[in-house]
């Protein structure tokens, strides 16, 4: 069965500093997608970054980057130069190309001014 | 480009009642998925609709049902409401059911409280 585990219920970072959110997953598939979604308070969930499993190169989107370790089934998110607007719930998610995207329990990120 | 819209945004029901939640998909998207997000938890997959047919279902009882219309909008119906059904219900649209980017585009959700 597919599972996604986020072991950090909460994280805190100082503005302009770097923070890493952890995620592990389990799947028997060899090809799949991994995602990080951001859910700000009372606002829509939006995609932050996406990684295709067949690509060895780690995805990067501006201040957001991932460390994808396929053998270890690990997919962490690094946020550089943290901003107050980065404060939100972050969900790691996994999809094998089918109808179901599996989400982790989330990590709440606090950004201190 | 019109994003995903959901209605109502908030509603309160009592146990045993029935509720209908509505979702308009993002323009150009033909697939709608519904998720239940309990407080402090991640979204749980309920089901997905593609071309007006249920395409897949999560671990939810039959009292959770849905529809998709020719314009790709969708409804989620929940019968015989229970206290544990209190949650944020998220609608997400996407283009196609497999392949592609797999990215989901979410609405703001409908917050259901069952008393």
């Amino acid at each position: 069965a597919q599972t996604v585990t986020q072991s950090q219920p909460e994280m805190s970072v100082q503005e302009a500093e770097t923070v890493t959110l952890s995620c592990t997953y389990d799947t028997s598939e060899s090809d799949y997608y991994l995602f990080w979604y951001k859910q700000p308070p009372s606002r829509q969930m939006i995609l932050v970054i996406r990684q295709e499993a067949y690509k060895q190169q780690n995805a990067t989107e501006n201040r957001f980057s991932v460390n994808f370790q396929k053998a270890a089934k690990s997919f962490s998110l690094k946020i550089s130069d943290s901003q107050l607007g980065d404060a939100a719930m972050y969900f790691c998610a996994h999809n094998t190309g089918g109808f179901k995207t599996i989400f982790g329990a989330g990590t709440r990120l606090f950004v201190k001014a | 480009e019109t994003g995903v819209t959901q209605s109502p945004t908030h509603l309160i029901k009592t146990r045993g009642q029935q509720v209908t939640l509505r979702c308009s998909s993002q323009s150009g998207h033909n697939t709608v998925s519904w998720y239940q997000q309990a407080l402090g938890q991640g979204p749980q997959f309920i089901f997905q609709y593609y071309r007006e047919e249920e395409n897949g279902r999560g671990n939810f009882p039959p009292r959770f049902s849905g529809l998709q219309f020719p314009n790709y909008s969708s409804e989620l119906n929940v019968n015989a409401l229970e206290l544990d059904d209190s949650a944020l219900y998220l609608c997400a649209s996407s283009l196609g059911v497999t392949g592609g980017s797999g990215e989901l585009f979410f609405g703001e959700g409908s917050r259901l409280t069952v008393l």
Side-chain angles (χ1 to χ4, degrees):
Chain A
Q2 299 173 47
T3 60
V4 177
T5 302
Q6 294 179 250
S7 59
Q8 306 154 316
E10 294 183 352
M11 290 286 285
S12 182
V13 63
Q14 199 71 34
E15 200 176 6
E17 297 294 310
T18 295
V19 64
T20 298
L21 308 184
S22 301
C23 173
T24 59
Y25 61 93
D26 193 18
T27 181
S28 57
E29 302 291 330
S30 59
D31 198 15
Y32 47 86
Y33 299 97
L34 295 164
F35 309 87
W36 280 97
Y37 282 90
K38 171 185 178 182
Q39 188 177 41
S42 302
R43 292 183 60 187
Q44 286 166 296
M45 192 174 318
I46 58 172
L47 179 69
V48 173
I49 198 165
R50 171 180 57 238
Q51 175 81 42
E52 289 103 333
Y54 69 88
K55 291 186 178 178
Q56 293 188 339
Q57 186 173 7
N58 289 323
T60 299
E61 288 287 343
N62 301 313
R63 298 183 295 108
F64 299 87
S65 61
V66 298
N67 183 4
F68 173 47
Q69 302 290 328
K70 191 172 185 179
K73 294 182 180 175
S74 170
F75 183 61
S76 60
L77 174 69
K78 185 171 82 171
I79 305 174
S80 304
D81 185 26
S82 297
Q83 301 176 359
L84 295 178
D86 294 334
M89 283 291 290
Y90 286 82
F91 293 98
C92 179
H94 170 252
N95 183 302
T96 58
F99 57 81
K100 185 178 355 184
T101 297
I102 306 295
F103 289 81
T107 297
R108 182 171 297 281
L109 178 66
F110 297 94
V111 181
K112 300 176 187 175
Chain B
E1 186 177 79
T2 305
V4 179
T5 59
Q6 293 186 242
S7 63
T9 54
H10 295 81
L11 68 167
I12 300 173
K13 293 285 188 178
T14 56
R15 272 187 306 174
Q17 284 189 313
Q18 178 266 344
V19 68
T20 297
L21 308 178
R22 296 178 175 82
C23 171
S24 294
S25 61
Q26 181 161 314
S27 57
H29 286 183
N30 55 15
T31 304
V32 172
S33 303
W34 286 93
Y35 286 81
Q36 180 194 65
Q37 186 179 14
L39 198 61
Q41 297 183 23
Q44 299 293 314
F45 176 75
I46 303 175
F47 44 54
Q48 183 183 81
Y49 278 83
Y50 173 66
R51 292 184 175 178
E52 303 177 56
E53 297 286 333
E54 185 179 292
N55 182 59
R57 191 178 183 91
N59 189 27
F60 281 82
R63 58 189 186 84
F64 285 78
S65 62
L67 286 172
Q68 187 180 31
F69 301 98
N71 66 355
Y72 304 131
S73 66
S74 177
E75 287 182 356
L76 165 64
N77 298 289
V78 187
N79 294 322
L81 284 168
E82 301 177 359
L83 296 180
D84 284 349
D85 295 334
S86 295
L88 180 68
Y89 288 85
L90 296 171
C91 172
S93 72
S94 56
L95 185 58
V97 298
T98 59
S101 70
E103 179 180 355
L104 297 171
F105 294 79
F106 285 88
E108 292 192 12
S110 294
R111 172 77 62 190
L112 171 65
T113 301
V114 182
L115 301 176

